[in-house]
Structures are given as C-alpha cells and as structure tokens.
Amino acid sequence: MRILHTSDWHLGLSLGALSLGPDHDLFLAWLRGALRAQVVDALIVAGDVFDTMQPSADALARYYRFLAQVAETGVQQVVIVGGNHDSPSRLDAPAEVLAALQVHVVGGYESDGPDDRYLVPLRGRGGQVEAVCVALPYVHEFRLGVRTTELDPAAVRAAFGARFGALYARLCDVAAARWPGLPLVGTGHLTMGPATADDYPQAIHQVGSIDSLPDSVVDPRLQHLALGHIHRSYPVADRRGWYSGTPVATSFTETSARKVLLVDLDPDPAGRATVQALEVPRPRALLSLSDRLPALCAALRGLRWAEALPPALALRVVLDGPPVDLQGQLNDALRAHPEGARPVVAKLEVVAPAAVEADDAPVPVLTALQPEEVLQQLARYRGLSAPAPLVSAFAQLRAASDEDWRAMLAAAQGGAL
Ligand SMILES: [Mn+2]
C-alpha cells in the first residue's frame, strides 16, 4: 500500500494583494501527475485544506475540481481531515457526495460520536482492504475535557498527552479488531517535536497551553502518523510520525524546499513504513528585497526567474529623505517586465536608514535618554538630521520658566495675552 501524505494547502490564501490561486492550480496539477507517476493507492490530506473557515467560491471550485479529477490518476481513495483553519461542518457538508468518489472527509472530532467515523479501510488496486487509516482531524482542547485553567503547564501537557494517546489507542484497538492483520496509518493536526516560531503562520496555531505533545501520543501500532499543522517537513517519535509541511509556501519566511511524502506501508502490521520526500516544484519565488529606492528599482528591472509565475515581492524601501513618488518609481521599474509576467509587490515597507541601523543596535530605554536625544532620534527615524537651530530652540523651550513661556506666547500671538 503506497500513500501520498500532504497537508496545509491553505486554499484561498493571499499574500497581501496577491492571490495564490495560480500557485495552487500549478501544485494540484503537479500532484495529479505525481499520484499517477508514483502509482499511489491513497492520498491523505492532514488538515488546513482551506485558509479560512468560509472559503471563497474560487477556493471551493479549485478543491472540487481537484477531487473530481483525482480518480483519473489511479488513486483508490482520498482521506481528508480538517485542520484548525477549516470549518469542520463546512468540510463535512458534502461528505456523502464525496464518499461516492471514494473521498472520505472527517471535518471535526466529536467526543460523543461513533468511532466508525474515524476509521477508513484503504483498498489496494485489487479491491482488497490492505490497510486502515485512523483519520483524526484537528481536535480542540475542550473536546478532550482537560481544564487548562486549573493546572500548571507541565500538568496540562501531560494531561493532553495522555488524552491524545488514549484516543489513538482506542481507535487502533477498534481498527485492529475489525480488520485484523492489517497495517495501520493515522492522521493528526497538532504540534509535536521541535517546532519554532517561524513554523506557525499565525499565533493562533499555538493553541492554548498544549504546546508540543510528547512522542507517547503516537500509538506504536501506527506505521505512519501523517501530521499537519506545522509548515516545515520533519519526523517525530522515532520517525513514525511526520510533518509533510506546506506544498506551497504561505509566507515569505517559508523559504526551504516544499515537500510531499511518499509512504510505503509494510504489509506486516508490526513492520515499519518507508518514507521518502518528493520535492514540489516552486510555482514562484518569494523574494524579500531591502535597499535604497534607486538600487531597488534597478534590482526590480533586472529580475529574472525560472519559476512558472513571476516573483512575489516583499519590498523594504530605505528612504534618505522625504518620499518622492515612491509608488510611481516602483511601478516604472516593474513595467520593465511585460504585462502578465510582471513581479507583484505583496508587501511594501518604507523605513529610514536609522531604522535599518537600529535593527542591530540595542533598544534604548526611554527614561535613560535626555529629551534632546529623543528629539534627535525622532528626526533620524524620519530620515532627517535635526538641524542645530531646531535642537537649540527645543532646549530653550525646555529650560524656559513660566514667565519666559508667557513672554514667548505673547510674542508669537502678537501681544494679545
Ligand atoms: Mn496550516
């Protein structure tokens, strides 16, 4: 039984004003080719199919078009579970129609529902059941009944580890009893292993105080736990669990190669799966560029790329003085490329040189600064140097007595005070 494991498609995602729809179309076309070429029996999508709870019609069309075409690749079944970005009920709504296409959807976890919902027998090309998938979607902490407010973090982590472990163990028990002698594979949308801040596209991904779950969550009977949630590919729990990572980068920080995983199960249920990564061709470069405006415009004019789609740009313009038709100059530079093959500015930030230097300097404590220093720093931040007369006028105002103030105001207002 050969499985292709992917996750975190985030269909419907935009980078700033740039829709990643064309990127997702290229990925899904490539995926159909890979499923056919690699003679895959089952496709597993481990959550975050969509980027939002209410995906656009465009994102839905892309999803259904793919599912309608996937049978042509020879894949015998598709298993899709919901992630924290997906609406469980919306994902489940077409489940019965999709079941007719051998697409098994599990949108969300109900603690009082029947176990059958989370068990998908996987058939090989001969039509025989050759493996069973324990298809668990993202499970919100309150569904597991752990009260995070009453326990310290270590106790919460231990309690969640025990609950998740017991959930997988119970479903493995049922699967092993109903389909004895077959290898088991699982899904999950949760955090395990050495996730870093960059692995979470949004703070919401660090759900409650669960943090990273212990290896003991992965039931030893699961040959492969297909994980989603973290956007980088890495193994956990003695390589029995794997994150596939996002196939299409969802942010400018996801610069490493994007992957899907090919998983060959051992027909012996006590055996081990073999996992190999397939690199997904990058549909477009995500470039972060920072420079002064003339150099940046020259760089934009000279951009060349090998990817199918023009680059998405995160620009940081370092301004020496007051901005001079910034947008116009950037647009002129971009028009060096033909329409339809023009790089797209997804993010634009304007900073003063002082701000660039200040990135490396320690942040000064406000109370340790003299007011004149604050004035000079403000001027530098705005890309100006504070002229001496301004600084001395400021110092004079600061030193002025109440009487001086009245005199100055009177002078300024023509003696009407
Ligand atoms: Mn995700």
Side-chain angles (χ1 to χ4, degrees):
M1 165 74 41
R2 173 169 270 193
I3 292 166
L4 192 146
H5 158 200
T6 173
S7 76
D8 295 87
W9 291 358
H10 288 269
L11 299 180
L13 180 74
S14 294
L15 285 179
L18 174 68
S19 160
L20 293 187
D23 308 57
H24 285 134
D25 280 341
L26 285 175
F27 161 64
L28 293 173
W30 174 86
L31 180 59
R32 288 201 310 273
L35 291 169
R36 188 180 293 116
Q38 301 291 339
V39 196
V40 172
D41 300 308
L43 169 68
I44 291 180
V45 187
D48 285 358
V49 179
F50 296 105
D51 189 55
T52 60
M53 299 266 169
Q54 299 197 44
S56 64
D58 191 47
L60 286 168
R62 190 163 281 115
Y63 172 65
Y64 289 122
R65 198 179 304 128
F66 172 78
L67 294 180
Q69 293 169 344
V70 76
E72 296 164 12
T73 66
V75 156
Q76 301 297 297
Q77 56 260 302
V78 179
V79 179
I80 298 172
V81 297
N84 56 310
H85 280 245
D86 298 306
S87 157
S89 52
R90 277 171 198 270
L91 214 55
D92 276 335
E96 287 162 58
V97 173
L98 292 178
L101 297 170
Q102 301 307 314
V103 177
H104 304 269
V105 179
V106 186
Y109 175 73
E110 308 280 347
S111 43
D112 51 0
D115 289 339
D116 299 35
R117 197 171 131 65
Y118 312 105
L119 299 173
V120 183
L122 301 178
R123 294 177 189 279
R125 307 248 157 173
Q128 299 294 312
V129 177
E130 292 180 9
V132 181
C133 181
V134 173
L136 263 191
Y138 168 70
V139 180
H140 194 281
E141 53 192 47
F142 88 87
R143 297 272 179 205
L144 293 176
V146 178
R147 301 226 177 124
T148 54
T149 49
E150 292 171 11
L151 300 167
D152 71 76
V156 169
R157 184 170 183 261
F160 276 118
R163 297 287 171 103
F164 270 105
L167 185 52
Y168 279 109
R170 192 184 82 219
L171 293 171
C172 287
D173 286 345
V174 178
R178 194 172 306 164
W179 294 279
L182 292 184
L184 304 182
V185 57
T187 71
H189 196 85
L190 41 82
T191 303
M192 289 186 73
T196 66
D198 264 2
D199 295 327
Y200 296 94
Q202 291 170 19
I204 195 172
H205 277 222
Q206 269 153 330
V207 175
S209 41
I210 294 181
D211 199 15
S212 187
L213 288 164
D215 286 358
S216 57
V217 161
V218 187
D219 191 281
R221 288 167 289 182
L222 294 173
Q223 285 193 11
H224 179 82
L225 180 59
L227 291 168
H229 196 39
I230 306 297
H231 286 191
R232 187 165 50 87
S233 181
Y234 63 82
V236 297
D238 190 26
R239 306 178 83 79
R240 285 185 301 115
W242 277 87
Y243 287 97
S244 60
T246 45
V248 174
T250 62
S251 83
F252 284 89
T253 60
E254 291 172 30
T255 49
S256 59
R258 303 288 104 194
K259 294 166 188 170
V260 299
L261 300 176
L262 271 185
V263 182
D264 290 305
L265 298 183
D266 189 325
D268 177 356
R272 289 195 64 126
T274 312
V275 179
Q276 51 175 315
L278 283 186
E279 194 171 324
V280 180
R282 196 162 67 152
R284 80 168 84 226
L286 303 184
L287 299 176
S288 299
L289 303 174
S290 174
D291 214 326
R292 288 179 161 75
L293 190 56
L296 206 53
C297 287
L300 292 184
R301 285 194 172 85
L303 277 178
R304 299 290 178 269
W305 57 91
E307 293 81 4
L309 299 169
L313 307 170
L315 299 184
R316 189 154 106 142
V317 186
V318 183
L319 276 189
D320 290 316
V324 279
D325 189 22
L326 182 72
Q327 203 66 57
Q329 292 201 36
L330 290 175
N331 286 343
D332 276 353
L334 290 170
R335 274 196 285 270
H337 303 278
E339 201 181 343
R342 204 167 272 169
V344 185
V345 179
K347 283 170 77 178
L348 178 62
E349 188 189 2
V350 181
V351 295
V356 179
E357 287 151 23
D359 274 358
D360 304 321
V363 178
V365 180
L366 187 61
T367 50
L369 294 173
Q370 292 303 311
E372 285 79 6
E373 289 176 302
V374 177
L375 176 73
Q376 275 167 338
Q377 291 226 1
L378 175 66
R380 271 216 301 280
Y381 179 74
R382 295 272 165 92
L384 308 162
S385 61
L390 180 67
V391 177
S392 72
F394 180 72
Q396 200 186 333
L397 274 174
R398 290 226 328 118
S401 67
D402 287 357
E403 246 168 73
D404 294 336
W405 268 94
R406 278 193 208 96
M408 282 189 286
L409 279 170
Q413 296 179 354
L417 207 68

